[in-house]
Amino acid sequence: MTVATRQAAWRDDAGNGWHEDLVWYAAAVHQMRLRTPQLEEFLLLLGEALEQDFPAALVDQMVTIAAQWSDPLSLGYQSQVHGTIVPVDQWPTIDGQRALWLECAHNHWFFLPWHRAYLLEFEAVAREHIEQLGGPASTWGLPYWNYSDYRDNPARLGLPLPLRGDTLPDDVTVPGVEPRPDGSLPNPLFNPVRLMQGDPDPGDDAWADPTTALQRPHYANQQDTGRVSFGGGVLENATNQALFHDRTREHGQVDVQPHGSVHVQVNGAMALFQTAGLDPVFWMHHCNVDRLWETFARDLGHGFPFTGAAGTGTAAHQSWTSRQFRFLQSDGTIRTWTAPDVLEVEELGYEYDSTAPPPLPPTPPPPAGSEIQPFGLDEPIPEPVAASEPFTLTAATDVPVTGGSGEDISVAAFAPDAEWLLRFEGIRSRRPAPTSFHVYLGLPADADASWDDSAHYVGLLSLFGVYEASRDDGSSPGDGQRRTLDATGQVRAQEATLRPFDTTVRLVPVDPDRDIAGAGLEVARLTLEFA
Amino acid sequence: VNDAVAVGAASVRSVVAASRLGAWRSRHPEWGLYTVAASGWSVLVVLQLADLWRRAEDPVPVVPGHAGHAGHRSRHTGHLGASGDVVASAGDTSALGLGPVVGHGLVVVAMVAVMAPLVAANVRFAALRSPRRNRRLVALSVTSGWAAVWVVGAAGLGVLAWLAVGLVGRPGAVVLATLVAVGWQWTGRKRRSLSRCHRVLAPPLAPRAARRAGRRHGRELGLSCLASCAPMMAIMVVAGHGPLVAAPLTGIAWYERRRRPHHDPARQETSVALGAAGAVACLLVAVGVL
């Protein structure tokens, strides 16, 4: 089997930019766009909808367009596999088989394996187009956006150059791309509705930072233990469709940051499950997330679930091995994957040019008792000690978090090995979140927030998926999402001063210039918890 | 010595088992709902068996509204008896010597009880988001709010069923309820209310506020649940609450909670299942088993 190498979009050589693999990526995307009726019109409507709380008239027009995307070789069809606004009874059929749309897995431990299978399916479609164009189909690999390697070169935080600009540079030729009437050549990798079109503020790179994720001790965690794992909460019942597609379960850290935070940072089509795949940056972003999984599993030595004997035979193991990911092919057949099917990348026909981790600070030891079973299955349920009132997020906000009856109790009153976490419940919005928020614990009111202040900086509150989970139209329960951040390090660092029953959490937007108030972000409860 | 060792080992085993059970219960504060459901099923089964036994003893067809027999229905005509007994028709509560009010009440409570596991995930979530000292209280608050709505809703369904049976007879009412239930599966309202059944609550930490919020959340869940499931439960009400009808209908309600109302072809599946359950119920009513 030929092993294709997936390469970084940002390279350090002189010809940085339109590398051959990116040219062929653009060629494939162009063919996929040609097979997507009214794509340009759809993106214009989406741009309007994002500014107007998705009025029904606009959504109806978008539904009418997207319902035509019945060709599995098109960008439209592939994007709708991830999510769709089209009601199920309007989904197209292909050779008598109804489209398999809205299949994405987030917020639990199948997030990474499902998306790996999804990338493989997309890559296969792209190769088909490259082959038709006479390109190097068998050796071509999907390029990835290496934003998470920004410490070597902050320029990597910016969109890769081929994704920028409505037209192709003069010296670039993409096979199959025809000139417009004005003679210019359209850039297939450009998307006009992104909020991020070029270089972001290089001073604020948390949205691209994989450090917290790569430092988690486990791939997965049991739901409700309050542990924050790399890949997400265990789903012990693989057949429960409502749970598998529930957007409210416990996220893995990599799902939140950098995965979710990059979606929010780029924004536009990327801000929604239903449209993210229409932006060519989506596939390059997920390719990097997939690469980070390799880094975590192989370079950092965490391996994959159940590769040892621990945990085999449990309900979790049964779920991991039996859950199927189904993808409709262009001939009407269905290809099925399971999580164990997608663990050995070379057997899947690809490798990465590098999976070396970025520079990481010393990793804290895993929580006591978490090795009892593979994912700390018997760990205690955390207990909230202080909570906030409901609050809205329109700008930087100090949120009082109080509990008990006003006792002046310090951290020393709790077990010295206690794990601490901040839990956000009922996060809702009227529009996709325009930015993520930095979260600080116990920062004095007159102190400036700085996200390299490790004694107070807990992490990033990334809000990808909040809008979808806020919709009360039958597509979700409508009560929003939740997030958990591990605050153990910050509580221990402030042991002498922090009062868990009377403290403050400060939330600072990553990009304060975006329309935060318009998104109508609200949080039902924020708690400080220990276990 | 061997006996002493054996006794000691048995004691250790029982302590370990008790500790495991305790750990499991602390992780599953909703466990009481399964006990409640088991009690509900027991009541329905006992009532059904009592009815069958009474009929075996007294095969003479019952005259509608006959002296004090609150649970009797006309099997000659299939029409509602003068006693107006629709709700208390899980078998015959009078066979157990229960008065009409107690009989009706018992059946309603049993019916609500068998549905309790449907709200278990919501109860668990609210309890586990609370301090340990509040968990039982929050679980009870959510459950009581949810059950209160269903008890009132069940009474309302009873009245509607009474009217329907009076108008078109019991088999006709079963057919009517089945058609309404199948049609309801295809409405946007059904989809929204079914989605809302998955809502969860992270309650305040203060006990009194937590209790209030728990009850309110329970009531909201109950209303969503009622809007989602009332039409299919109406089949049960008009057909009698025998386990033969209650079990498949509860199973359908359980199944659709595990599917995505906006995605999976659950509507088609549940519509077919409801149609089949309604047909069986109609048949059982017509031949006098229910």
Side-chain angles (χ1 to χ4, degrees), chain A residues 192-473:
Chain A
V193 293
R194 294 174 195 138
L195 289 184
M196 176 185 176
Q197 289 288 3
D199 295 318
D201 173 6
D204 202 339
D205 45 21
W207 57 271
D209 190 358
T211 305
T212 313
L214 292 174
Q215 288 198 299
R216 302 317 302 167
H218 299 301
Y219 175 80
N221 63 283
Q222 191 176 32
Q223 300 283 349
D224 299 319
T225 57
R227 311 288 174 175
V228 185
S229 60
F230 178 77
V234 171
L235 276 192
E236 293 193 356
N237 187 337
T239 61
N240 189 326
Q241 288 287 81
L243 274 185
F244 186 81
H245 298 285
D246 185 351
R247 300 188 183 103
T248 62
R249 308 299 296 174
E250 293 192 342
H251 287 67
Q253 181 63 33
V254 78
D255 191 347
V256 175
Q257 178 196 19
H259 163 254
S261 49
V262 168
H263 271 277
V264 171
Q265 189 69 19
V266 175
N267 224 277
M270 279 278 278
L272 284 161
F273 286 118
Q274 296 92 332
T275 55
L278 292 172
D279 191 330
V281 76
F282 169 84
W283 307 95
M284 296 170 67
H285 165 43
H286 268 276
C287 197
N288 192 48
V289 172
D290 186 70
R291 185 179 71 107
L292 289 170
W293 186 18
E294 282 294 286
T295 303
F296 179 81
R298 297 186 200 280
D299 296 67
L300 297 175
H302 293 287
F304 296 101
F306 309 110
T307 43
T312 51
T314 59
H317 179 242
Q318 171 70 16
S319 165
W320 179 254
T321 52
S322 64
R323 174 69 210 195
Q324 294 186 333
F325 318 141
R326 300 178 344 127
F327 295 89
L328 187 63
Q329 309 298 300
S330 54
D331 61 1
T333 59
I334 291 173
R335 183 169 0 196
T336 301
W337 303 86
T338 64
D341 288 342
V342 297
L343 302 184
E344 299 297 332
V345 293
E346 291 205 10
E347 289 175 14
L348 297 168
Y350 74 95
E351 62 181 5
Y352 287 101
D353 57 357
S354 169
T355 55
L360 297 172
T363 302
S370 68
E371 301 293 353
I372 296 170
Q373 296 216 22
F375 317 115
L377 295 185
D378 291 327
E379 287 170 328
I381 307 279
E383 176 153 5
V385 295
S388 73
E389 294 294 319
F391 60 94
T392 55
L393 277 171
T394 54
T397 309
D398 277 346
V399 182
V401 180
T402 57
S405 46
E407 305 97 320
D408 184 26
I409 293 175
S410 73
V411 177
F414 295 84
D417 60 348
E419 300 287 314
W420 292 85
L421 55 114
L422 284 176
R423 199 192 289 266
F424 296 79
E425 302 278 4
I427 313 171
R428 302 176 73 244
S429 72
R430 287 196 307 268
R431 295 180 198 165
T435 184
S436 305
F437 287 80
H438 295 297
V439 180
Y440 299 86
L441 173 66
L443 199 64
D446 54 353
D448 288 334
S450 166
W451 72 278
D452 54 7
D453 169 10
S454 60
H456 295 98
Y457 182 65
V458 180
L460 199 67
L461 178 67
S462 134
L463 301 170
F464 181 52
V466 162
Y467 167 69
E468 289 88 333
S470 307
R471 290 172 60 182
D472 187 21
D473 57 359

Side-chain angles (χ1 to χ4, degrees), chain A residues 88 91 101-103 224 237 239 241-242 245 378-379 382-383 423 425 472 474 477 479 482 525, chain B residues 27 124-125 129 131-132 135 192 195-196 198-200 202-203 205 257-260 262-264 267:
Chain A
V88 65
W91 291 2
W101 283 357
L102 195 54
E103 286 288 319
D224 299 319
N237 187 337
T239 61
Q241 288 287 81
H245 298 285
D378 291 327
E379 287 170 328
E383 176 153 5
R423 199 192 289 266
E425 302 278 4
D472 187 21
D479 57 351
R482 26 196 182 273
R525 194 186 87 166
Chain B
R27 265 185 190 287
R124 178 169 192 256
F125 187 96
R129 291 303 188 278
R132 276 187 187 83
R135 284 177 185 166
R192 282 194 298 279
S195 286
R196 287 180 190 151
H198 292 277
R199 285 186 175 180
V200 289
L205 305 191
R257 286 288 294 268
R258 296 161 59 86
R259 290 291 176 272
R260 294 177 289 172
H262 59 287
H263 179 204
D264 297 303
R267 286 186 298 189

